[in-house]
Amino acid sequence: MGIGMFLSILTMLSAALVEMKRLEIARELNLLHEKVEIPMSVLWQILQYCLAGASEAFTVIGKVEFFYTEAPDAMRCLCTAFSLLTTSLGGYLSSFLLALVSYYTSRGGEPGWIPDNLNEGHLDWFFLLIAGLSAVNLVVFVWCALRYTNRTTL
C-alpha cells in the first residue's frame, strides 16, 4: 500500500509539471485570457496515467488483502466491503476538497485555481496541494504501519 501511496504523490507531481508546461505554452502564445485549446499533445499525460494506474493497483490490492487477511473469519466479507466503502468515501472527500479550493481561491473576484477557463487558473497548484496531502497521508500510513501488530502474531 505504501508503494501505491508513494506513486500517487509522483502522479500528482507529474500532473502539476504537465499543467505548468501547458500554462507556459499558453503564456508564450498569449492565450491566457482566451478560452481556446492549447496546442499540446495529449501524450504529455501518459506518465501520469501510468503512475495513477500503478498507484491504484498497489493500493487497492494491498488494501483488499489487508482487510481479508486481518479480519476475523466471520467478518471477511464485511471487511472487504469496508475496503470498497473507503474508496467511495475518498471520492466524496475529493469532491468536497475541490469545492473548498474553488470557493476559497475564487473570492474577491479572482478566477481562483480552478476556473471555467483553465488558462486563467492554477490547476498546477491544486495538483501540488494534492501531492502534499498525499505525502502527509503516506507519513501517517508509515507511522501506523510501523506500530501495527499482525493478527497472526497475537
Side-chain angles (χ1 to χ4, degrees):
M1 285 191 284
I3 292 171
M5 291 178 183
F6 179 73
L7 290 176
S8 74
I9 296 168
L10 295 181
T11 301
M12 289 298 106
L13 292 175
S14 171
L17 290 173
V18 169
E19 179 62 14
M20 287 175 190
K21 181 66 177 173
R22 192 191 70 76
L23 287 173
E24 179 185 319
I25 292 171
R27 225 179 336 273
E28 287 174 1
L29 298 176
N30 202 20
L31 298 174
L32 284 179
H33 300 293
E34 304 291 325
K35 203 170 186 177
V36 297
E37 289 184 31
I38 305 301
M40 186 174 176
S41 174
V42 72
L43 298 177
W44 279 82
Q45 296 180 338
I46 286 176
L47 177 62
Q48 68 197 43
Y49 278 102
C50 289
L51 287 171
S55 168
E56 209 45 40
F58 277 107
T59 306
V60 171
I61 291 169
K63 187 171 58 169
V64 170
E65 181 182 353
F66 174 78
F67 277 119
Y68 189 78
T69 58
E70 295 299 310
D73 293 339
M75 294 184 62
R76 283 194 175 148
C77 186
L78 180 65
C79 288
T80 303
F82 279 141
S83 169
L84 296 173
L85 178 66
T86 61
T87 301
S88 65
L89 291 176
Y92 284 117
L93 181 63
S94 180
S95 296
F96 179 69
L97 182 63
L98 181 65
L100 275 178
V101 167
S102 293
Y103 175 76
Y104 283 108
T105 61
S106 64
R107 295 189 318 185
E110 294 293 318
W113 289 5
I114 311 168
D116 289 337
N117 180 2
L118 290 179
N119 294 338
E120 294 177 347
H122 282 284
L123 190 57
D124 52 340
W125 293 354
F126 181 72
F127 290 142
L128 291 173
L129 172 68
I130 299 297
L133 290 173
S134 296
V136 170
N137 187 39
L138 178 60
V139 168
V140 171
F141 169 79
V142 168
W143 184 81
C144 291
L146 291 173
R147 284 155 184 75
Y148 182 76
T149 304
N150 288 347
R151 181 177 88 112
T152 55
T153 60
L154 291 176

